[in-house]
Each structure stands twice: as C-alpha cells, then as structure tokens.
Amino acid sequence: MMFGTLSRYFFRRYLATTGWFLVGVSAIAFLLDFSETAGRMSGLPGYTIGGGIVMTAVRLPLILQQTVPFIALFVGMTVLIGLNRKYELVVTRAAGISVWQFMFPFIAGSLALGVLTMTALNPLAAWGQRQALLVESDWRGENAVLRKAPQIPWLRQISGRDDVIIGAQTVQENGTKLIDAVLIHFDSGGRVILRQDAATAKLEDGYWQLNGVVERKPGEIPLRKASVQLRTNLKQDFVQERLTAPETIGFFDLSNRIAAAKSFGISTKALETQFNSLLSQPLLLVAMTLIAATVSLKFSRFNQSRSVILGGILSGFMLYVITVLVKAFGSSGVVPPFVATWIPVVVALALGATILLHQEDG
C-alpha cells in the first residue's frame, strides 16, 4: 500500500515537472523561432508581424518534438536530484524499496511522454509544418530571388518522345503544385533542347499546367509565355509520394504512405526510417531517464557533483546526436531503417540499465 502511494507521488512529481519544462521550452522556442522568422522573412512581400506569430505557432509542435528527448533527460535529473536533497529517496531506500521499484513511476512517465509524442504531438507537428510551408510560399509571392531553395528531389518523366527532368524550389499541395519549377527537355541523344522556367507548375489530369513560363533553346532568344500545357503520364498519387517530405506526414499516415510508395516502385527508406524513429521514441525517452538516474541517484544534501551532472548531459546529448546521425544513414539507404533507429536506443537502454545495476547492486 505504501509503495502504491509512493509510486503515485513520484509519478505526480514527474508529470508536474514535465509540464513546467514543456511550458518553459515552448516559450523559449517560440521567442527564438519568431525572432529567426522575423529576421529571415521580414523582407518578403506578404510578411506581417501577425503572420509571423501564426507561423511560429504552427511550427512550434515540430520544434517541441525535437526537444522532447532532452526534456525527458532534464526532467529525470531535476526530479531525482530534488528528491535526494529532501531525503525522500534516502527514506525510500531505508524502507527497503529497491532502485528498480522507485524508478518505475519515472520510467512509466517517460513511456507515456513518448507515446503522446508519437501519437499526438507528431501528427500536429506534421500538419503545422505543411501549413508553415504554405504560409511561406504565400508570403514570397512571385519573388523568386528571395526564395530559399530546400532540398527538393527531381522528377523524370518520359512521355512519348519527350524526356523531361522536373525540379522546383518549393512544393505545395502534397507535391502536385511546384513553385519556381524548372523543366529540362532532352532529345534522344541526351542533349538539352529546351529549358522551361515556370513560376508555378500544377499537375492536372494528364498534363502539367505551367504559368509564367520562360522558354530557352540553345542559340535562341528566351521566349516568355503566360501559360503552357505539358503532356505527362505522371499520376498525382505518384508525385505526392515522390515529393512529400517524411516530416510533413503524421504517424498514422506513414504506414499507408509506405505501402503506396512501394506500389509505385519509389524508395521508402526515408519513410520507413521516420516510422521506426517514431515507434522507438518511447524507449528513447526511457533510455534518457535511465541516463538521468545514473548521475542523479547518489545522495548529496546540497550540491550534486557538477562533473557528474555534466557527464549525464553530455551522455544524453551524444545519444541524441547518434540517433539523428544514424537516422540520416537510414533515410539515405546506407543502413537498414530498422537497424538505424532501434540499435542506438537498445544499446542506450542496455548501457543505462548496466550502469544502474553496477551502482546499486554492485
């Protein structure tokens, strides 16, 4: 009965501290991102202060999602150090409760935080990222000079005798609308015969609708056209799967997108890596909590060893960097997605448990 009451008390302490950290990190992230957005986009034709606030607000879930592992680390350290300083962990140990028993509420809390991040925060972050891209494109208007070019994959379409490579600065509407599109036409010998630069390119049923087109042929003067229709055999579903970034797809849609991409013969490495990364998020937060425990459970009434705390922070940071780095390898196909996302988490869990076993049980 005492252990049940104690577990609930520790769990409430963990939830309350997590809530305060989320509020604090959200406020700091909002201020920093708003300042960065204002500095980067204040010169755009459609930018307003109110629009900047809205854009920062819809981007906030994505930023918060990226900081959740660190929040789990610092929450664990803060709660455990606080309990130590008030002798609460000392009394708990004196009552015969092992470290694995009183750590259970913290592990359960980190698991719950990971599940909420995966099922609630991620879909909201994906939606917010899509809205932010739309808002930014609206602000830029037709000003191509100020556009920042993200990494957009190129498409190749072969329709009859037409061999065309298509790229763009920005994509909208799940990839079916391209902003600042570039279309390069080749002949049967692989030589460039035409380049079309279009302000927008919209994929319709059986053709691309190009608007604000400048056509350039070798040795000829550029020709401007208000609109051009380019025949295509590309389907909207294919283009959506090819051009949509994994970060703009919510957790519950990823499995369907992976199946659709496979049906088109498109590489699913990035999508599978994102899916497995989200699935491993709860265990990653548990690993962060175990790392926090390894540096916070040693009793100290007034000052916890700064070197030990710094070691815990560096360990959590290194784990986060490794997961991000290996995730990039998984997305590019260098490492299988499952291995890229799960191995670092499993190793961190095993390492944290081993250190705790050594510290507590010898």
Side-chain angles (χ1 to χ4, degrees), residues 285-325:
L285 300 192
V286 172
M288 288 292 190
T289 302
L290 292 179
I291 291 174
T294 61
V295 300
S296 306
L297 289 180
K298 185 177 180 180
F299 173 70
S300 178
R301 179 65 179 89
F302 296 105
N303 293 315
Q304 203 78 9
S305 173
R306 295 178 181 177
S307 60
V308 173
I309 293 176
L310 180 60
I313 295 174
L314 290 177
S315 299
F317 179 75
M318 287 300 298
L319 173 59
Y320 180 79
V321 170
I322 290 172
T323 56
V324 172
L325 182 63

CSV table of all heavy atoms in Angstrom, one decimal, residues 285-325:
chain,number,residue,atom,x,y,z
A,285,LEU,N,13.1,7.8,-24.8
A,285,LEU,CA,12.9,8.6,-23.6
A,285,LEU,C,13.1,7.8,-22.3
A,285,LEU,O,13.6,8.4,-21.3
A,285,LEU,CB,11.4,9.1,-23.6
A,285,LEU,CG,11.0,10.0,-24.8
A,285,LEU,CD1,9.7,10.7,-24.5
A,285,LEU,CD2,12.1,11.0,-25.1
A,286,VAL,N,12.8,6.5,-22.3
A,286,VAL,CA,13.2,5.7,-21.2
A,286,VAL,C,14.7,5.6,-21.0
A,286,VAL,O,15.3,5.7,-19.9
A,286,VAL,CB,12.6,4.2,-21.3
A,286,VAL,CG1,13.2,3.3,-20.3
A,286,VAL,CG2,11.1,4.3,-21.3
A,287,ALA,N,15.4,5.5,-22.1
A,287,ALA,CA,16.9,5.5,-22.1
A,287,ALA,C,17.4,6.8,-21.5
A,287,ALA,O,18.4,6.8,-20.7
A,287,ALA,CB,17.5,5.3,-23.5
A,288,MET,N,16.8,7.9,-21.9
A,288,MET,CA,17.2,9.2,-21.3
A,288,MET,C,17.0,9.3,-19.8
A,288,MET,O,17.8,9.8,-19.1
A,288,MET,CB,16.4,10.3,-22.0
A,288,MET,CG,16.9,10.6,-23.5
A,288,MET,SD,18.5,11.3,-23.5
A,288,MET,CE,18.6,11.8,-25.3
A,289,THR,N,15.9,8.7,-19.4
A,289,THR,CA,15.5,8.6,-18.0
A,289,THR,C,16.5,7.8,-17.2
A,289,THR,O,17.0,8.1,-16.1
A,289,THR,CB,14.1,8.1,-17.7
A,289,THR,OG1,13.2,8.9,-18.5
A,289,THR,CG2,13.7,8.1,-16.3
A,290,LEU,N,16.9,6.7,-17.8
A,290,LEU,CA,18.0,5.8,-17.1
A,290,LEU,C,19.3,6.5,-17.0
A,290,LEU,O,20.0,6.4,-16.0
A,290,LEU,CB,18.1,4.5,-17.9
A,290,LEU,CG,16.9,3.5,-17.8
A,290,LEU,CD1,17.2,2.3,-18.6
A,290,LEU,CD2,16.6,3.2,-16.3
A,291,ILE,N,19.6,7.3,-18.1
A,291,ILE,CA,20.9,8.1,-18.1
A,291,ILE,C,20.8,9.1,-17.0
A,291,ILE,O,21.8,9.3,-16.2
A,291,ILE,CB,21.1,8.7,-19.4
A,291,ILE,CG1,21.5,7.7,-20.5
A,291,ILE,CG2,22.3,9.8,-19.3
A,291,ILE,CD1,21.6,8.2,-21.9
A,292,ALA,N,19.6,9.8,-16.8
A,292,ALA,CA,19.5,10.7,-15.8
A,292,ALA,C,19.6,10.1,-14.4
A,292,ALA,O,20.2,10.7,-13.5
A,292,ALA,CB,18.1,11.4,-15.9
A,293,ALA,N,19.1,8.9,-14.2
A,293,ALA,CA,19.2,8.2,-13.0
A,293,ALA,C,20.6,7.8,-12.6
A,293,ALA,O,21.0,7.9,-11.4
A,293,ALA,CB,18.3,6.9,-13.0
A,294,THR,N,21.4,7.5,-13.6
A,294,THR,CA,22.8,7.1,-13.3
A,294,THR,C,23.6,8.2,-12.7
A,294,THR,O,24.6,8.0,-12.0
A,294,THR,CB,23.5,6.6,-14.6
A,294,THR,OG1,23.5,7.6,-15.6
A,294,THR,CG2,22.8,5.4,-15.2
A,295,VAL,N,23.2,9.5,-13.0
A,295,VAL,CA,24.0,10.6,-12.5
A,295,VAL,C,23.3,11.4,-11.4
A,295,VAL,O,23.8,12.4,-10.9
A,295,VAL,CB,24.3,11.6,-13.6
A,295,VAL,CG1,25.2,10.9,-14.7
A,295,VAL,CG2,23.1,12.2,-14.2
A,296,SER,N,22.1,10.9,-11.0
A,296,SER,CA,21.3,11.7,-10.0
A,296,SER,C,21.0,11.0,-8.7
A,296,SER,O,20.4,11.6,-7.8
A,296,SER,CB,20.0,12.2,-10.7
A,296,SER,OG,20.2,12.9,-11.9
A,297,LEU,N,21.2,9.7,-8.7
A,297,LEU,CA,20.8,8.9,-7.5
A,297,LEU,C,21.7,8.9,-6.4
A,297,LEU,O,21.4,8.6,-5.2
A,297,LEU,CB,20.5,7.4,-7.9
A,297,LEU,CG,19.3,7.2,-8.8
A,297,LEU,CD1,19.2,5.7,-9.2
A,297,LEU,CD2,18.0,7.7,-8.1
A,298,LYS,N,23.0,9.3,-6.6
A,298,LYS,CA,23.9,9.4,-5.5
A,298,LYS,C,23.5,10.5,-4.6
A,298,LYS,O,23.3,11.7,-5.0
A,298,LYS,CB,25.4,9.6,-6.0
A,298,LYS,CG,26.4,9.6,-4.9
A,298,LYS,CD,27.8,9.8,-5.5
A,298,LYS,CE,28.9,9.8,-4.4
A,298,LYS,NZ,30.2,10.0,-4.9
A,299,PHE,N,23.4,10.2,-3.3
A,299,PHE,CA,22.9,11.2,-2.3
A,299,PHE,C,23.9,12.4,-2.2
A,299,PHE,O,25.1,12.2,-2.0
A,299,PHE,CB,22.7,10.6,-1.0
A,299,PHE,CG,22.3,11.6,0.1
A,299,PHE,CD1,21.0,12.2,0.1
A,299,PHE,CD2,23.2,11.9,1.1
A,299,PHE,CE1,20.7,13.1,1.0
A,299,PHE,CE2,22.8,12.9,2.1
A,299,PHE,CZ,21.6,13.5,2.0
A,300,SER,N,23.3,13.6,-2.2
A,300,SER,CA,24.0,14.8,-1.9
A,300,SER,C,23.0,15.8,-1.4
A,300,SER,O,22.1,16.2,-2.0
A,300,SER,CB,24.7,15.4,-3.1
A,300,SER,OG,25.4,16.6,-2.8
A,301,ARG,N,23.3,16.3,-0.1
A,301,ARG,CA,22.3,17.2,0.5
A,301,ARG,C,22.2,18.5,-0.1
A,301,ARG,O,21.1,19.1,-0.3
A,301,ARG,CB,22.7,17.3,2.0
A,301,ARG,CG,21.7,18.2,2.8
A,301,ARG,CD,20.3,17.6,2.9
A,301,ARG,NE,19.4,18.5,3.6
A,301,ARG,CZ,18.7,19.5,3.1
A,301,ARG,NH1,18.8,19.8,1.8
A,301,ARG,NH2,17.9,20.2,3.9
A,302,PHE,N,23.3,19.1,-0.5
A,302,PHE,CA,23.3,20.5,-1.0
A,302,PHE,C,23.8,20.6,-2.5
A,302,PHE,O,23.1,21.1,-3.3
A,302,PHE,CB,24.2,21.3,-0.1
A,302,PHE,CG,23.8,21.5,1.3
A,302,PHE,CD1,24.4,20.8,2.3
A,302,PHE,CD2,22.7,22.3,1.6
A,302,PHE,CE1,24.0,20.9,3.6
A,302,PHE,CE2,22.2,22.4,2.9
A,302,PHE,CZ,22.9,21.7,3.9
A,303,ASN,N,24.9,20.1,-2.8
A,303,ASN,CA,25.5,20.2,-4.2
A,303,ASN,C,25.8,18.9,-4.8
A,303,ASN,O,26.6,18.2,-4.4
A,303,ASN,CB,26.7,21.1,-4.1
A,303,ASN,CG,26.5,22.5,-3.7
A,303,ASN,OD1,25.5,23.1,-4.2
A,303,ASN,ND2,27.3,23.0,-2.8
A,304,GLN,N,25.0,18.6,-5.8
A,304,GLN,CA,25.3,17.4,-6.6
A,304,GLN,C,26.6,17.7,-7.4
A,304,GLN,O,26.9,18.8,-7.8
A,304,GLN,CB,24.1,17.1,-7.6
A,304,GLN,CG,24.0,15.7,-8.1
A,304,GLN,CD,23.4,14.8,-7.0
A,304,GLN,OE1,22.9,15.3,-6.0
A,304,GLN,NE2,23.4,13.5,-7.2
A,305,SER,N,27.4,16.7,-7.6
A,305,SER,CA,28.6,16.8,-8.3
A,305,SER,C,28.4,17.4,-9.7
A,305,SER,O,27.6,16.8,-10.5
A,305,SER,CB,29.3,15.4,-8.4
A,305,SER,OG,30.5,15.5,-9.3
A,306,ARG,N,29.0,18.5,-10.0
A,306,ARG,CA,28.8,19.2,-11.3
A,306,ARG,C,29.4,18.4,-12.4
A,306,ARG,O,28.8,18.3,-13.5
A,306,ARG,CB,29.4,20.6,-11.2
A,306,ARG,CG,28.8,21.5,-10.3
A,306,ARG,CD,29.5,22.9,-10.2
A,306,ARG,NE,28.8,23.8,-9.3
A,306,ARG,CZ,29.3,25.0,-9.0
A,306,ARG,NH1,30.4,25.5,-9.7
A,306,ARG,NH2,28.7,25.8,-8.2
A,307,SER,N,30.5,17.7,-12.1
A,307,SER,CA,31.1,16.9,-13.2
A,307,SER,C,30.2,15.7,-13.5
A,307,SER,O,30.1,15.3,-14.7
A,307,SER,CB,32.5,16.4,-12.7
A,307,SER,OG,32.4,15.6,-11.6
A,308,VAL,N,29.5,15.1,-12.5
A,308,VAL,CA,28.6,14.0,-12.8
A,308,VAL,C,27.4,14.5,-13.6
A,308,VAL,O,27.0,13.8,-14.6
A,308,VAL,CB,28.2,13.4,-11.5
A,308,VAL,CG1,27.1,12.3,-11.7
A,308,VAL,CG2,29.4,12.7,-10.8
A,309,ILE,N,26.9,15.6,-13.2
A,309,ILE,CA,25.7,16.1,-13.9
A,309,ILE,C,26.1,16.5,-15.4
A,309,ILE,O,25.4,16.2,-16.3
A,309,ILE,CB,25.1,17.4,-13.2
A,309,ILE,CG1,24.6,17.0,-11.8
A,309,ILE,CG2,24.1,18.1,-14.1
A,309,ILE,CD1,24.1,18.2,-11.0
A,310,LEU,N,27.2,17.1,-15.5
A,310,LEU,CA,27.7,17.4,-16.9
A,310,LEU,C,27.9,16.2,-17.7
A,310,LEU,O,27.6,16.1,-18.9
A,310,LEU,CB,29.0,18.2,-16.8
A,310,LEU,CG,29.6,18.6,-18.1
A,310,LEU,CD1,28.7,19.5,-18.9
A,310,LEU,CD2,31.0,19.3,-17.9
A,311,GLY,N,28.4,15.1,-17.1
A,311,GLY,CA,28.6,13.8,-17.8
A,311,GLY,C,27.3,13.3,-18.2
A,311,GLY,O,27.2,12.7,-19.3
A,312,GLY,N,26.2,13.4,-17.4
A,312,GLY,CA,24.9,12.9,-17.8
A,312,GLY,C,24.4,13.7,-19.0
A,312,GLY,O,23.8,13.2,-19.9
A,313,ILE,N,24.5,15.0,-18.9
A,313,ILE,CA,24.1,15.9,-20.0
A,313,ILE,C,24.8,15.5,-21.3
A,313,ILE,O,24.2,15.4,-22.4
A,313,ILE,CB,24.2,17.4,-19.7
A,313,ILE,CG1,23.4,17.7,-18.5
A,313,ILE,CG2,23.9,18.2,-20.9
A,313,ILE,CD1,23.6,19.2,-18.0
A,314,LEU,N,26.1,15.4,-21.2
A,314,LEU,CA,26.9,15.0,-22.4
A,314,LEU,C,26.5,13.6,-22.9
A,314,LEU,O,26.4,13.4,-24.2
A,314,LEU,CB,28.4,15.1,-22.1
A,314,LEU,CG,29.0,16.4,-21.9
A,314,LEU,CD1,30.4,16.3,-21.5
A,314,LEU,CD2,28.8,17.3,-23.1
A,315,SER,N,26.2,12.7,-22.0
A,315,SER,CA,25.8,11.4,-22.5
A,315,SER,C,24.5,11.4,-23.2
A,315,SER,O,24.3,10.8,-24.3
A,315,SER,CB,25.7,10.4,-21.3
A,315,SER,OG,26.9,10.3,-20.6
A,316,GLY,N,23.5,12.2,-22.7
A,316,GLY,CA,22.2,12.3,-23.3
A,316,GLY,C,22.4,13.0,-24.7
A,316,GLY,O,21.7,12.6,-25.7
A,317,PHE,N,23.2,14.0,-24.7
A,317,PHE,CA,23.5,14.7,-26.0
A,317,PHE,C,24.1,13.8,-27.0
A,317,PHE,O,23.7,13.8,-28.2
A,317,PHE,CB,24.4,15.9,-25.7
A,317,PHE,CG,24.7,16.7,-27.0
A,317,PHE,CD1,23.7,17.6,-27.5
A,317,PHE,CD2,25.9,16.6,-27.6
A,317,PHE,CE1,24.0,18.3,-28.7
A,317,PHE,CE2,26.2,17.4,-28.7
A,317,PHE,CZ,25.3,18.2,-29.3
A,318,MET,N,25.1,13.0,-26.6
A,318,MET,CA,25.7,12.1,-27.5
A,318,MET,C,24.7,11.1,-28.1
A,318,MET,O,24.7,10.7,-29.2
A,318,MET,CB,26.9,11.4,-26.8
A,318,MET,CG,28.1,12.3,-26.6
A,318,MET,SD,28.8,12.9,-28.2
A,318,MET,CE,29.2,11.4,-29.0
A,319,LEU,N,23.8,10.6,-27.2
A,319,LEU,CA,22.8,9.6,-27.6
A,319,LEU,C,21.9,10.3,-28.7
A,319,LEU,O,21.6,9.6,-29.7
A,319,LEU,CB,22.0,9.1,-26.4
A,319,LEU,CG,20.8,8.3,-26.7
A,319,LEU,CD1,21.2,7.0,-27.5
A,319,LEU,CD2,20.0,7.9,-25.5
A,320,TYR,N,21.5,11.5,-28.4
A,320,TYR,CA,20.6,12.2,-29.4
A,320,TYR,C,21.3,12.4,-30.7
A,320,TYR,O,20.8,12.2,-31.8
A,320,TYR,CB,20.2,13.5,-28.8
A,320,TYR,CG,19.3,14.3,-29.7
A,320,TYR,CD1,18.0,14.0,-29.8
A,320,TYR,CD2,19.8,15.4,-30.5
A,320,TYR,CE1,17.1,14.7,-30.7
A,320,TYR,CE2,19.0,16.1,-31.3
A,320,TYR,CZ,17.6,15.8,-31.4
A,320,TYR,OH,16.8,16.5,-32.3
A,321,VAL,N,22.6,12.8,-30.7
A,321,VAL,CA,23.4,13.1,-31.9
A,321,VAL,C,23.5,11.7,-32.7
A,321,VAL,O,23.4,11.7,-33.9
A,321,VAL,CB,24.7,13.7,-31.6
A,321,VAL,CG1,25.6,13.7,-32.8
A,321,VAL,CG2,24.6,15.1,-31.0
A,322,ILE,N,23.8,10.7,-32.0
A,322,ILE,CA,24.0,9.4,-32.6
A,322,ILE,C,22.7,8.9,-33.3
A,322,ILE,O,22.7,8.5,-34.4
A,322,ILE,CB,24.5,8.3,-31.6
A,322,ILE,CG1,25.9,8.6,-31.2
A,322,ILE,CG2,24.4,6.9,-32.2
A,322,ILE,CD1,26.4,7.8,-30.1
A,323,THR,N,21.6,9.1,-32.6
A,323,THR,CA,20.3,8.7,-33.2
A,323,THR,C,19.9,9.5,-34.4
A,323,THR,O,19.5,9.0,-35.4
A,323,THR,CB,19.1,8.8,-32.2
A,323,THR,OG1,19.1,10.2,-31.7
A,323,THR,CG2,19.3,7.9,-31.0
A,324,VAL,N,20.2,10.8,-34.4
A,324,VAL,CA,20.0,11.7,-35.6
A,324,VAL,C,20.9,11.3,-36.7
A,324,VAL,O,20.5,11.2,-37.9
A,324,VAL,CB,20.2,13.2,-35.2
A,324,VAL,CG1,20.1,14.0,-36.4
A,324,VAL,CG2,19.1,13.6,-34.2
A,325,LEU,N,22.2,11.1,-36.4
A,325,LEU,CA,23.1,10.7,-37.4
A,325,LEU,C,22.8,9.4,-38.1
A,325,LEU,O,22.8,9.3,-39.3
A,325,LEU,CB,24.5,10.7,-36.8
A,325,LEU,CG,25.7,10.4,-37.8
A,325,LEU,CD1,25.8,11.5,-38.8
A,325,LEU,CD2,27.0,10.2,-37.0
